[in-house]
Amino acid sequence: MQPLEPRRAGALSRSTHQGSRASSSSTPSTTEPEISNLSIPSRPIFRAGSIPSTSSALTTPTSFVRDSLISLLLFLLISEWLRPLAWMADASIEIGPILVVFAICILIDCCKVPLAWGWTAKIVVILLFIGFMFDREGFLTGVWCIDLVRVIAQDIGYLVGAHFELISGQLRTLLFLMGWSLLISVVQALMLQRQHSLWFVGATLIYLVFLQLVLGADTVPGIMRAIGYGLLLMALLNLSRIEQTYGFSSVRPSYQFQWIAVSMVIVGALAGVGWLSAKQAEPAHLMKPVSWGYLYDRMFELYNGDLEVGSAAAKSGYGQNDSALGGPLQVDTTPVFTAKTSELTYWRGESKNFYNGKGWIQTNQALEPFSAGHQTGSGRIITQEILWNSNSTNKQLFLGGNLQQVDMLLTEKGKPLSSDFLLASSFSGKVTLPEVMDPLSYYKVTVQSSQSDSSLLNAESNRYPADIVGDYLQLPTSLPRSVRSLAEQVTANSSTPYLKAVAIEQYLSRTYPYSLEKPTHPSRNEDFVSHFLFVDQTGYCDHFSTSMVVMLRSIGIPARWVKGFAPGSLQAANDGDQLQEVIVRNQDAHSWVEVYFPNAGWVPFEPTPGFSGLSSDHAQLTLTTAAMAQAEMTASLATIPKSDRFTANPKEWLQAAKDALVDFAFRYRQVFNVMIGGGLLLAGILLFLRRKGFLYKGRLQPPFYKYGPNNAHPLIPYMDRLWMQLFRKYGLKSKDQTVREYVKALKIPHQTQQKALLEFALIYESVRYDTAHSLPYSKREILAIWKAIQKTH
């Protein structure tokens, strides 16, 4: 930035002041005043009360069109602030009428209605809105006016008595609309008169991102729209600055319409690309909510690593307590039992019906004596033999279908048992021996598979018995709304309960990767399903099966969580009796989903990627892709493919980079603590010294002004800052230019602005170079001139 030095000494003198009144009273006849004939005015021409108002300014058709477009974009941004209100509120909020009120307020300011008349019209519109919303039946009669006055008078009494909870909805709505109308008026004035819009666009984006990340609202479409509106706003508002800098207005007015058209085309193309990208990403969320509990746990784990908090991973296997799921798992290859079966099936243990936000509980533990079943439907008859491992003591039977007949039971001591000792639960399907009996070592059973026809399932209705609805649509009240929103989004194009179940099953298996090591425990107040869907986004069978059940229940489809074992590792086939031998290990412990259909009953579904052991019994087999249908029958965890260290998948690469960064920070956390503490201490010392004036005192002053005893006019520092703003807006002054020549060289289309800028330059030369004889100017008068310089029309 060059010094503001005049080229000729003695440019201003006392004689100049003596003739200033006469010279300032004359008005130049040309559009561009002649600098040499101007002298310093005795008082500023542009006082605070004499600044041309917006209503009196000349308005060209092109500027009116531009102002209308700016006002329209402001209205669209305001609508993005109000859209999430209906999502955040418990009761439905009518956003449409509120937007109509705001549209009228913006239209009034856009038409430059005088201040008093404009606010009178706004208040009338707001009062009419309140009367219509709270008394629609008596709105036309006008009775609401008397009721509104009475209610407001009563509310004033409540306010005086500090009974804020008793304030009526009418007054709350009045204050809400008045506050927003005032804010909109200020924002619109800043956009139209000062060409400032970036701050409001930024505030809108921050607001929408906050709702997305913190509250879990799906505001991605709103964010994309706000970015488009913001780009158009900046294009329109920067046009006036470009005109002032390069003098485009003197070429052709049609260029303004071309600028607007080109801006809309570019923004439309960018919005189209963003929309297509988001469409390809559906139904996955582009942004996931922040889990504050998860961050707290990770920070606690990071800085308390010596205590090994949460470092121990559980081992895979079949357990009894499922009330708290999650966390990493270690693969346990210990054999549980060896089985022979005529057909590979899942080994079902039991189901559970109550989801507590962390895991599963079976509310009805009632067991009844087992009675042999009878064959129903078209399910195949399967013969199965199970020989327990010597270290696996168990009294529960694991079955590949509905139990039809018990052929043999042997205890670990080799003692045969009658099937009359067995107890069964009609709620969970669990079959077991009483606690007082010895553990089993071998059993042979006959079961029937639960095969169903997908076409029949697709024709099923959504009318469920009362007991099914009561037990299998249960969800905790603390379930995040984002889980239900995701389920609705995934099933938006599915018309029947069966198709919705298939959609959720395929969405989970195709969207989220399988991992035993990466899942983390949800925090104390965090939902297990929400933590998996939006935080970890990776997991094993418990995560996938629980998420599918909860998502189905959230959209009104009964489902339950089932656990047992996957088919196991195939060993050999006996050609004589056509039985296949498998070894089932702890690593084969598995969970899946059963969905209820009124005519077919409970039908199994498998949402976990890499598992296909349901085979032909799986109801949605005919609708799966070829890749899913060709998956292996055996669901051993060891056979599930793991991603390579270097991958082309951006999501996996980012996950690996995040893990590496966390490990690095954990390893050198003490060094980071010292560096962060030292940096904060150094920044505090530097800030303290700077505020006290010990650092860079000389460099912080404007380079074109030397402070000293001979230059002590109080207005000079203030005017220097204004000159710096002018230089940033119009460009730097060359070294051989005076401020008068610099002002004259600027191409400013508006005569009022140019006149104000000339006066500002003359006053600056007076107070700087002839301080002793300069006339007294106040900061308010200088500010009035500055406001006139900022006017664009």
Side-chain angles (χ1 to χ4, degrees):
M1 186 174 296
Q2 295 79 15
L4 294 175
E5 297 287 346
R7 198 187 325 164
R8 295 172 299 276
L12 298 173
S13 64
R14 177 185 292 271
S15 60
T16 308
H17 292 285
Q18 293 176 353
S20 60
R21 293 182 179 274
S23 61
S24 61
S25 60
S26 60
T27 304
S29 57
T30 60
T31 304
E32 184 179 284
E34 191 66 33
I35 305 296
S36 61
N37 296 332
L38 286 176
S39 59
I40 302 173
S42 58
R43 303 298 292 172
I45 299 174
F46 298 94
R47 300 180 182 274
S50 62
I51 299 176
S53 63
T54 306
S55 60
S56 63
L58 296 177
T59 304
T60 62
T62 55
S63 63
F64 177 76
V65 172
R66 186 170 57 193
D67 290 352
S68 300
L69 290 176
I70 292 173
S71 301
L72 175 61
L73 292 173
L74 172 62
F75 170 75
L76 295 176
L77 284 175
I78 294 296
S79 67
E80 298 300 335
W81 284 79
L82 297 182
R83 288 178 188 271
L85 292 181
W87 180 87
M88 291 186 292
D90 294 332
S92 59
I93 295 181
E94 297 185 31
I95 305 299
I98 299 178
L99 289 177
V100 172
V101 174
F102 291 164
I104 295 175
C105 294
I106 293 175
L107 180 62
I108 291 174
D109 289 339
C110 181
C111 295
K112 300 179 176 60
V113 178
L115 186 64
W117 289 104
W119 274 102
T120 301
K122 292 178 184 179
I123 293 174
V124 171
V125 170
I126 291 174
L127 293 177
L128 290 174
F129 168 80
I130 294 175
F132 175 76
M133 294 301 296
F134 287 91
D135 190 9
R136 297 189 180 185
E137 296 180 356
F139 178 74
L140 297 178
T141 62
V143 180
W144 61 270
C145 298
I146 301 175
D147 295 338
L148 181 61
V149 172
R150 178 182 55 80
V151 170
I152 292 179
Q154 186 179 12
D155 289 337
I156 293 175
Y158 292 147
L159 289 173
V160 174
H163 299 293
F164 303 109
E165 71 280 358
L166 300 178
I167 297 177
S168 65
Q170 287 91 326
L171 183 59
R172 295 177 189 270
T173 306
L174 177 62
L175 296 177
F176 173 81
L177 295 178
M178 289 295 296
W180 268 94
S181 300
L182 180 61
L183 175 63
I184 292 172
S185 179
V186 173
V187 173
Q188 189 174 7
L190 289 174
M191 289 184 178
L192 297 180
Q193 299 179 15
R194 303 294 297 275
Q195 292 83 48
H196 292 170
S197 65
L198 184 59
W199 68 273
F200 187 71
V201 176
T204 304
L205 293 176
I206 292 174
Y207 165 72
L208 295 175
V209 171
F210 174 84
L211 295 179
Q212 173 82 29
L213 297 181
V214 178
L215 301 182
D218 186 13
T219 58
V220 172
I223 293 174
M224 297 176 60
R225 289 192 297 265
I227 293 176
Y229 303 152
L231 291 176
L232 284 176
L233 265 177
M234 287 186 285
L236 293 175
L237 295 178
N238 285 330
L239 178 59
S240 61
R241 297 176 182 174
I242 295 176
E243 289 177 349
Q244 293 172 357
T245 304
Y246 300 102
F248 278 178
S249 61
S250 61
V251 182
R252 273 193 311 187
S254 61
Y255 278 9
Q256 296 183 355
F257 293 103
Q258 296 178 8
W259 175 276
I260 296 173
V262 171
S263 301
M264 295 182 66
V265 170
I266 294 175
V267 173
L270 294 175
V273 172
W275 181 81
L276 289 176
S277 301
K279 203 69 177 176
Q280 293 178 357
E282 288 183 355
H285 283 297
L286 298 181
M287 290 190 296
K288 59 184 180 181
V290 175
S291 173
W292 301 108
Y294 170 75
L295 293 179
Y296 172 79
D297 291 345
R298 291 305 299 269
M299 290 295 294
F300 185 80
E301 178 182 342
L302 181 63
Y303 290 100
N304 297 273
D306 298 336
L307 300 178
E308 298 183 357
V309 177
S311 59
K315 292 185 178 181
S316 59
Y318 187 92
Q320 299 299 326
N321 186 2
D322 305 301
S323 59
L325 303 175
L329 282 182
Q330 294 180 354
V331 176
D332 184 2
T333 59
T334 304
V336 179
F337 59 84
T338 302
K340 290 185 177 182
T341 177
S342 58
E343 183 177 325
L344 293 178
T345 64
Y346 276 18
W347 302 97
R348 190 185 191 281
E350 62 178 318
S351 65
K352 295 191 176 182
N353 66 328
F354 187 86
Y355 176 66
N356 60 4
K358 299 294 182 183
W360 292 97
I361 301 172
Q362 176 56 246
T363 57
N364 195 323
Q365 301 287 348
L367 294 173
E368 301 175 354
F370 167 74
S371 59
H374 57 280
Q375 184 176 353
T376 59
S378 58
R380 299 176 304 280
I381 299 299
I382 302 174
T383 301
Q384 295 179 328
E385 300 179 37
I386 291 85
L387 177 63
W388 286 96
N389 184 274
S390 59
N391 297 324
S392 302
T393 57
N394 204 312
K395 301 176 183 178
Q396 183 178 352
L397 275 64
F398 292 88
L399 309 168
N402 298 321
L403 183 59
Q404 300 294 314
Q405 179 180 337
V406 178
D407 299 319
M408 183 178 295
L409 292 173
L410 293 178
T411 67
E412 62 179 357
K413 297 179 181 180
K415 179 181 178 180
L417 293 176
S418 171
S419 61
D420 296 336
F421 289 102
L422 290 176
L423 300 176
S425 171
S426 59
F427 298 94
S428 65
K430 182 177 181 179
V431 180
T432 184
L433 288 173
E435 292 294 333
V436 297
M437 302 293 293
D438 292 333
L440 289 170
S441 64
Y442 171 85
Y443 61 89
K444 181 179 180 180
V445 294
T446 302
V447 298
Q448 183 182 13
S449 64
S450 56
Q451 186 177 7
S452 301
D453 187 355
S454 59
S455 59
L456 297 178
L457 294 177
N458 195 32
E460 293 269 9
S461 66
N462 56 356
R463 298 180 179 180
Y464 308 108
D467 56 338
I468 295 295
V469 172
D471 287 337
Y472 301 104
L473 287 182
Q474 171 274 331
L475 286 174
T477 56
S478 59
L479 181 71
R481 198 173 301 180
S482 55
V483 176
R484 182 173 70 249
S485 300
L486 178 61
E488 293 172 348
Q489 183 180 2
V490 172
T491 60
N493 298 325
S494 303
S495 57
T496 64
Y498 170 70
L499 293 179
K500 292 181 179 182
V502 172
I504 293 178
E505 178 191 42
Q506 294 184 350
Y507 167 75
L508 292 173
S509 62
R510 297 175 182 178
T511 304
Y512 299 95
Y514 186 96
S515 175
L516 289 176
E517 302 84 7
K518 295 181 180 179
T520 59
H521 288 281
S523 61
R524 180 177 302 177
N525 297 322
E526 189 176 15
D527 183 81
F528 173 76
V529 172
S530 177
H531 184 77
F532 164 67
L533 293 176
F534 306 114
V535 179
D536 277 351
Q537 294 189 330
T538 184
Y540 42 88
C541 57
D542 291 344
H543 297 83
F544 289 92
S545 57
T546 301
S547 298
M548 181 174 177
V549 174
V550 171
M551 291 175 69
L552 285 172
R553 290 185 177 188
S554 68
I555 57 175
I557 299 177
R560 63 186 182 185
W561 185 75
V562 187
K563 66 174 186 174
F565 289 94
S569 301
L570 182 63
Q571 300 300 305
N574 191 324
D575 296 334
D577 53 10
Q578 298 297 321
L579 295 180
Q580 303 178 74
E581 182 178 337
V582 294
I583 295 180
V584 178
R585 308 176 187 272
N586 280 324
Q587 68 179 16
D588 295 315
H590 190 54
S591 61
W592 60 95
V593 179
E594 289 181 350
V595 182
Y596 182 81
F597 295 92
N599 295 324
W602 294 102
V603 177
F605 283 77
E606 178 55 273
T608 306
F611 287 77
S612 57
L614 291 175
S615 186
S616 58
D617 293 337
H618 193 4
Q620 64 93 249
L621 179 66
T622 58
L623 299 183
T624 56
T625 62
M628 296 177 62
Q630 294 173 0
E632 296 183 2
M633 289 292 295
T634 302
S636 172
L637 302 182
T639 62
I640 295 177
K642 297 182 180 179
S643 59
D644 297 333
R645 181 177 179 182
F646 299 99
T647 176
N649 189 344
K651 186 174 182 181
E652 296 181 4
W653 184 87
L654 290 175
Q655 180 69 28
K658 185 199 74 172
D659 294 340
L661 182 61
V662 171
D663 293 339
F664 181 80
F666 177 78
R667 187 179 308 167
Y668 299 101
R669 63 186 184 279
Q670 295 181 353
V671 178
F672 286 156
N673 290 337
V674 175
M675 292 177 60
I676 294 173
L680 293 176
L681 179 60
L682 180 61
I685 294 174
L686 292 177
L687 181 61
F688 174 78
L689 294 177
R690 181 174 177 178
R691 291 180 64 87
K692 293 298 182 180
F694 295 108
L695 289 179
Y696 314 113
K697 184 174 182 180
R699 297 184 183 179
L700 291 177
Q701 307 298 345
F704 46 79
Y705 178 70
K706 303 296 184 181
Y707 290 89
N710 297 328
N711 295 321
H713 197 287
L715 283 179
I716 294 179
Y718 176 69
M719 297 185 73
D720 284 345
R721 291 194 296 269
L722 299 181
W723 274 112
M724 294 171 70
Q725 296 185 35
L726 287 173
F727 289 158
R728 284 195 295 267
K729 184 175 183 179
Y730 296 107
L732 296 177
K733 178 182 75 64
S734 63
K735 296 181 179 179
D736 57 346
Q737 273 185 320
T738 64
V739 289
R740 298 191 190 189
E741 293 172 342
Y742 172 75
V743 170
K744 183 179 179 181
L746 296 178
K747 296 180 180 180
I748 301 177
H750 302 287
Q751 183 177 0
T752 303
Q753 280 184 281
Q754 190 178 34
K755 191 174 181 180
L757 190 55
L758 291 174
E759 182 182 2
F760 181 76
L762 293 174
I763 294 175
Y764 178 79
E765 290 183 346
S766 173
V767 298
R768 179 181 173 188
Y769 301 111
D770 196 10
T771 304
H773 304 94
S774 62
L775 297 176
Y777 293 94
S778 66
K779 184 177 290 188
R780 181 177 179 181
E781 292 169 337
I782 299 299
L783 181 61
I785 300 175
W786 181 253
K787 290 182 178 179
I789 295 174
Q790 297 294 93
K791 292 287 184 179
T792 57
H793 55 274

